[in-house]
């Protein structure tokens, strides 16, 4: 390992303790290093603006930071246990290449605001991707809701056959869900879009740091004003980002549950794309829906990450090393969560319904609610109509298409109001996309 930034003369570093303190930091920092380099460039520009660096030194630092970013992206530079963390790796590289100019880069900043700004930029990037995936998913669901609006599908409550529903209602539910999820990602992105760089260790420094410049240079919507609150927000902002992710993951979990049931032999309503299934190691007859089962399981990682950060925040004000563990939590949450959501659009584009099986699952009892409402519309008090419609003797096979067409309450099969969902989707920058293959 290179010389530790904080190491004092005559103090022996215990390798076991150092390994415990560093943990997986140097591995995790590979995820954040390019953002750390980006922030270092903006910080160097600010130092030149207040006279700490001259123009020649700034040019050299910017050049070396760009080279380091290229080397890292291409694999020529590897962030490994030679370094304590990504921050020290950047500084060591600049010192090695530039000498005293490199030694000036840390003026006015702490590793505290260095990790804050790199993490904040990373969160913005991940939330933007979450938003994109939610919009894409909503667009596919909205298109299929329109195309398959009249396709009958059993509706269930308590996992019991309840009423006649439709593929259109199923798709429109996921369309609206993921529009909401995109909106929440958007709102959270706007909320975390605050620049903490220049807060140092949480108490500022005796230099007129160019915080307005770094805010603009790094593309932040605003400056996080209080140096102390910048430190207090660590973990709080990460938890908010995970909560936005968890909205999409909760819906994905329920959608995956539906597909797990619908693809079973007992239901038989859906065929999954072949690449979304795997075989058994011992039973040659099996095709298993492993992908949707792992999609369903992925919420657990997101929920665990949120819980871990929440427990870390049982702290007084100021920086505490406990917060180091928040990096691993957000990395694993977004890694697992976005990994699952990335697979969702193609799954929804290409799954195929089995209309014959869906219609065969409709039974006379599922028209009882229609009968009760018809009797009430004809003048029978609803509670009396309900009792009459509960009599199995009055149940008979119905017309699924007519039942769906008659369901004209707003948002039901006969009046899906997809135009309203389309307007919301467009307002967020999304759009419905091509109809599924037939």
């Amino acid at each position: 390992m290179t010389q530790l930034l904080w190491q004092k003369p005559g103090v022996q570093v215990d390798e076991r303790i150092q390994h415990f303190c560093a943990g997986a930091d140097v591995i995790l920092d590979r995820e954040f290093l390019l953002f750390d380099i980006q922030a270092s460039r903006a910080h160097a520009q600010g130092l030149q603006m207040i006279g700490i660096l001259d123009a020649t030194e700034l040019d050299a630092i910017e050049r070396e930071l760009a080279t380091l970013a290229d080397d890292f992206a291409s694999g020529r530079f590897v962030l490994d246990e030679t370094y304590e963390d990504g921050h020290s790796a950047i500084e060591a590289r600049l010192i090695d290449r530039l000498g005293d100019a490199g030694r000036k880069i840390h003026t006015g900043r702490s590793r505290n605001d260095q990790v804050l700004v790199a993490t904040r930029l990373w969160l913005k990037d991940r939330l933007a991707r979450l938003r994109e995936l939610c919009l894409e998913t909503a667009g596919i669901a909205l298109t299929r809701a329109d195309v398959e609006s009249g396709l009958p599908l059993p509706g269930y409550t308590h996992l019991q056959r309840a009423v006649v529903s439709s593929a259109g209602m199923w798709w429109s539910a996921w369309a609206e869900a993921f529009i909401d999820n995109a909106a929440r990602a958007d709102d959270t992105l706007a909320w975390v879009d605050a620049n903490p760089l220049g807060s140092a260790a949480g108490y500022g420094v005796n230099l007129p740091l160019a915080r307005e410049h770094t805010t603009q240079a790094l593309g932040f919507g605003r400056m996080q004003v209080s140096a102390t609150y910048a430190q207090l927000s660590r973990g709080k902002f990460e938890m908010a980002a995970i909560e936005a992710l968890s909205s999409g993951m909760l819906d994905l979990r329920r959608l995956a549950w539906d597909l797990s049931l619908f693809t079973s032999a007992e239901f038989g309503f859906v065929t999954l794309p072949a690449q979304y299934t795997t075989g058994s190691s011992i039973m040659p007859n099996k095709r298993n829906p492993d992908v949707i089962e792992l999609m369903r399981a992925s919420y657990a990682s997101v929920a665990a990450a949120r819980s871990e950060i929440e427990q870390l925040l049982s702290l007084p004000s100021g920086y505490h090393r406990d917060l180091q563990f928040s990096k691993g939590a957000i990395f694993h949450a977004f890694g697992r969560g976005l990994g699952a959501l990335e697979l969702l659009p193609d799954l929804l584009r290409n799954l195929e319904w089995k209309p014959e099986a869906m219609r065969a699952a409709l039974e006379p009892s599922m028209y009882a609610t229609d009968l009760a409402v018809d009797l009430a519309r004809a003048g029978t008090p609803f509670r009396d109509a309900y009792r009459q419609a509960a009599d199995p003797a009055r149940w008979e096979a119905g017309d699924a298409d007519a039942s769906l067409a008659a369901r004209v309450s707003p948002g039901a099969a006969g009046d899906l109001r997809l135009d309203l969902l389309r307007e919301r989707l467009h307002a967020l920058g999304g759009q419905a996309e091509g109809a599924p293959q037939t």
Side-chain angles (χ1 to χ4, degrees):
M1 178 175 288
T2 56
Q3 178 77 13
L4 299 172
L5 297 175
W6 45 266
Q7 192 169 348
K8 303 298 189 292
V11 177
Q12 182 68 33
V13 175
D14 186 309
E15 289 189 8
R16 296 171 304 163
I17 294 175
Q18 178 55 26
H19 179 74
F20 174 74
C21 288
D25 235 28
V26 75
I27 306 300
L28 292 169
D29 278 357
R30 294 171 184 170
E31 185 77 9
F32 306 100
L33 187 68
L34 291 176
F35 295 106
D36 205 344
I37 292 170
Q38 182 185 352
S40 293
R41 181 175 184 270
H43 179 67
Q45 292 169 351
L47 292 180
Q48 193 271 332
M49 294 173 70
I50 63 172
I52 300 298
L53 297 171
D54 62 32
T56 301
E57 289 171 324
L58 175 60
D59 286 345
I61 287 173
E62 289 188 313
R63 182 183 65 250
E64 289 302 331
L65 287 173
T67 300
L68 176 57
D70 288 343
D71 288 349
F72 177 72
S74 67
R76 291 189 298 271
F77 173 82
V78 177
L79 184 59
D80 58 23
E81 292 184 354
T82 304
Y83 306 97
E84 183 180 9
D85 52 34
H87 319 307
S88 60
I90 293 171
E91 187 168 343
R93 172 75 169 241
L94 292 176
I95 291 171
D96 179 60
R97 297 290 180 89
L98 302 175
D100 284 347
R103 293 184 179 92
K104 294 181 180 182
I105 188 66
H106 206 62
T107 306
R109 75 176 179 183
S110 164
R111 284 192 295 182
N112 294 0
D113 64 337
Q114 199 173 351
V115 67
L116 263 172
V117 70
T119 304
R120 195 69 53 83
L121 290 168
W122 184 88
L123 285 174
K124 287 179 58 180
D125 179 79
R126 297 294 79 198
L127 285 168
R129 184 57 182 151
L130 171 63
R131 180 183 184 278
E132 290 173 359
L133 289 169
C134 290
L135 290 176
E136 184 179 7
T137 298
I140 295 163
L142 194 55
T143 293
R144 294 201 66 163
D146 196 13
V147 172
E148 299 163 352
S149 60
L151 178 60
L153 172 71
Y156 295 85
T157 65
H158 309 276
L159 282 180
Q160 308 298 311
R161 293 175 181 174
V163 296
V164 179
S165 183
S166 68
M169 290 198 70
W170 190 84
W171 284 118
S172 68
W174 301 123
E176 187 165 8
F178 280 93
I179 290 170
D180 278 352
N181 296 332
R184 186 171 186 184
D186 218 21
D187 291 344
T188 304
L189 178 54
W191 188 63
V192 306
D193 193 14
N195 177 27
L197 184 59
S199 59
Y203 302 100
V205 296
N206 49 328
L207 287 170
L209 296 176
R211 296 197 65 203
E212 289 83 0
H213 168 76
T214 59
T215 298
Q216 183 177 17
L218 293 171
F220 282 106
R222 68 186 186 282
M223 179 176 72
Q224 199 164 14
V225 177
S226 168
T228 299
Y229 177 58
Q231 291 302 319
L232 289 174
S233 68
R234 187 174 180 190
K236 176 181 175 181
F237 279 31
E238 284 85 339
M239 196 158 67
I242 290 175
E243 287 166 354
L245 173 63
S246 71
S247 282
M249 296 305 296
L250 277 170
D251 286 321
L252 175 57
R253 181 165 69 174
R254 299 188 77 173
L255 192 159
W257 247 122
D258 276 5
L259 294 181
S260 294
L261 294 172
F262 290 173
T263 56
S264 68
E266 285 69 20
F267 285 74
F269 298 162
V270 166
T271 298
L272 297 177
Q275 63 269 33
Y276 283 77
T277 65
T278 66
S280 165
S281 65
I282 189 173
M283 295 172 283
N285 58 307
K286 294 290 299 299
R287 294 300 298 175
N288 300 321
D290 286 7
V291 177
I292 58 174
E293 290 173 349
L294 289 172
M295 285 177 164
R296 190 173 64 200
S298 296
Y299 178 80
S301 296
V302 177
R306 187 205 177 280
S307 180
E308 182 177 6
I309 292 179
E310 184 177 28
Q311 299 311 311
L312 290 176
L313 296 183
S314 180
L315 296 168
S317 62
Y319 175 76
H320 305 273
R321 191 66 178 267
D322 312 49
L323 294 168
Q324 177 175 308
F325 285 169
S326 66
K327 281 195 293 188
I330 60 171
F331 172 72
H332 293 301
F334 277 90
R336 186 68 58 81
L338 291 183
L341 288 169
E342 292 274 2
L343 298 177
L344 183 58
D346 276 344
L347 171 63
L348 297 186
R349 284 187 188 99
N350 296 300
L351 69 83
E352 298 178 4
W353 297 109
K354 295 182 176 179
E356 299 82 3
M358 293 154 66
R359 285 184 181 273
L362 303 176
E363 58 187 27
S365 68
M366 298 174 74
Y367 298 91
T369 302
D370 289 351
L371 174 59
V373 173
D374 285 342
L375 290 170
R377 183 168 48 202
T380 303
F382 180 76
R383 200 45 65 197
D384 293 336
Y386 175 92
R387 281 191 288 271
Q388 293 178 36
D391 181 1
R394 302 199 61 168
W395 298 345
E396 57 185 37
D399 182 333
D401 299 314
S403 175
L404 293 175
R407 209 82 54 74
V408 293
S409 57
D415 186 13
L416 287 172
R417 302 287 176 100
L418 299 182
D419 55 328
L420 299 181
L421 298 182
R422 197 171 289 110
E423 287 174 10
R424 287 192 61 205
L425 183 64
H426 289 170
L428 288 166
Q431 60 181 2
E433 59 175 73
Q437 297 293 319
T438 57

